[in-house]
DNA sequence: TAGTTTACTTACCAGTTAGTAAGTATCTTT
DNA sequence: AAAGATACTTACTAACTGGTAAGTAAACTA
């Protein structure tokens, strides 16, 4: 079975981008329909409520993250290379597109205003990311690639807080702020060779 | 000369709290006026546009920060105690009030949607904070209270990113996430005695 | 005490928000 | 070829948004 149209995916792509650029509460069905040259009722056809739309955005992104970290090429590289790839895909690339936030940062900032069903999806996705980060950091520490004290889970919290925060603050301080901050974070973590 | 009413200050207090709780774009003149038992036109009397209101919120908070870090008692304590006080006033306390974000984090997340005049105020306030942090970190390093490599300015960027990010992510992960993350950050920075 | 300023209220407005009900063209299945 | 599902459009709504113009009561000033 083939889908005749890809309107639903296009809506999700655009909504996700707008969420990173402006926040979930700062774009409307009218924004989506205007840009896609459809009527706002067409968006409601695919996503009856904004909660449905929000849930779908996060659900898809969460699945994409799982696919990404379970892909074959990921299993063959070191923890340091995996963490570097993570930062490139989920942070560095957003910087190049007009400083989009990561979905975790965007969701966290607007969390109390998000529909309940969406909050649950955000929690699930964030937990997945934090667990992957903790596993990666722990493995890197055992391989003498990373150097840090305390639990890998706590370090994962610091790392995710710092990079999502740095992406946000670089909207104020510019790309140079992001570059300097992430470099400092990386230097603190990585064992010099 | 005494002011007869304090409506203007009450509006600022409430607007600041709402900005930390929900974000600048997520509260309205109607929210403010309803809670203060006045009409929305009364809010417009004191702050004609939302840009005026936003500028006033940040301007006042920036001045409050300057007053705070220039107060007499601050000059008499060590860098470590000053940094600890900063985290208590500007972060720990927000956690206790339903996880309000700091104004820097709230502003950064919504930055592209903020009125231009407000963006300028946010930049000024953030610069003040980063400069103070860099000075404090540098002084603490010279006193053997803190231990870090690289420039104090870069470390200040990591520190501010991490704590503002941790406050946001604790909306997802709860207070325990904040506690664990900030403890890890502190342990990495502070020289053990 | 008359005039002016301050701090509002009353009563609007045009634009935007998420959401809905009913209709239509096109494809798929029987 | 008929019946049903799919993917929309047309046309609408009630609630809310930031913002304004005109009026008013009380306080301050000349």
């Amino acid at each position: 079975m083939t889908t005749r149209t890809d309107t639903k995916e296009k809506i999700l792509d655009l909504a996700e981008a707008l969420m990173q650029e402006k926040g979930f509460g700062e774009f409307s069905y009218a924004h989506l329909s205007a840009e896609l040259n459809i009527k706002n009722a067409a968006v409601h056809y695919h996503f009856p409520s904004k909660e449905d739309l929000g849930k779908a955005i996060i659900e898809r992104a969460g699945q994409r993250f799982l696919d990404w970290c379970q892909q074959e090429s990921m299993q063959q590289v070191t923890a340091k290379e995996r963490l570097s790839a993570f930062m490139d895909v989920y942070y560095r690339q957003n910087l190049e597109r007009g400083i989009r936030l990561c979905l975790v940062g965007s969701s966290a900032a607007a969390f109390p205003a998000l529909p309940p069903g969406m909050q649950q999806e955000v929690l699930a996705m964030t937990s997945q990311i934090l667990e992957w980060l903790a596993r990666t950091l722990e493995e890197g520490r055992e391989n003498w690639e990373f150097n840090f004290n305390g639990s890998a889970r706590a370090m994962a919290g610091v790392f995710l807080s710092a990079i999502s925060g740095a992406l946000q603050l670089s909207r104020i301080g510019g790309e140079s702020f992001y570059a300097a901050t992430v470099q400092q974070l990386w230097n603190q973590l990585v064992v010099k060779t």
Side-chain angles (χ1 to χ4, degrees), chain A:
Chain A
M1 176 196 156
T2 56
T3 39
R4 267 160 291 131
T5 61
D6 51 355
T7 304
K8 196 170 182 176
E9 285 297 308
K10 280 182 182 169
I11 293 169
L12 277 176
D13 290 342
L14 180 57
E16 183 177 330
L18 285 171
M19 187 173 163
Q20 294 180 257
E21 280 162 23
K22 315 211 288 171
F24 187 71
E26 309 285 333
F27 71 88
S28 68
Y29 278 69
H31 289 122
L32 296 170
S33 55
E35 180 115 356
L36 298 172
N37 291 311
I38 55 179
K39 302 299 159 185
N40 79 76
V43 184
H44 279 284
Y45 170 75
H46 292 288
F47 304 100
S49 75
K50 214 182 172 187
E51 172 159 10
D52 296 314
L53 176 59
K55 281 168 67 177
I57 294 170
I58 305 298
E59 214 166 348
R60 191 180 68 151
Q63 190 55 54
R64 200 168 46 201
F65 173 73
L66 283 180
D67 294 346
W68 177 83
C69 63
Q70 278 162 14
Q71 70 189 310
E72 213 184 329
S73 62
M74 268 296 153
Q75 259 64 43
Q76 300 162 344
V77 299
T78 64
K80 184 175 159 183
E81 285 168 314
R82 287 206 298 276
L83 189 63
S84 180
F86 172 79
M87 290 177 68
D88 190 62
V89 173
Y90 286 98
Y91 292 87
R92 174 96 239 159
Q93 278 187 15
N94 286 323
L95 200 72
E96 286 159 10
R97 300 184 213 170
I99 312 193
R100 292 182 186 176
L101 300 191
C102 64
L103 283 176
V104 172
S106 174
S107 301
F111 202 73
L114 299 182
M118 193 177 169
Q119 293 183 344
Q120 271 190 277
E121 292 292 337
V122 169
L123 176 56
M125 180 180 70
T126 307
S127 300
Q128 291 284 354
I129 294 171
L130 278 171
E131 279 165 31
W132 179 85
L133 274 175
R135 284 198 307 273
T136 304
L137 287 167
E138 186 57 50
E139 192 184 314
R141 177 159 61 177
E142 287 163 7
N143 291 346
W144 299 93
E145 293 180 293
F146 299 144
N147 177 36
F148 62 92
N149 295 313
S151 75
R153 183 61 193 234
M155 190 63 220
V158 169
F159 195 83
L160 189 60
S161 296
I163 49 176
S164 65
L167 203 49
Q168 294 191 9
L169 294 190
S170 68
R171 288 178 155 181
I172 301 172
E175 286 200 33
S176 63
F177 176 87
Y178 183 81
T181 301
V182 167
Q183 189 62 56
Q184 175 75 18
L185 187 69
W186 189 254
N187 289 345
Q188 286 184 310
L189 182 68
V190 173
V191 171
K192 272 141 211 136
T193 50

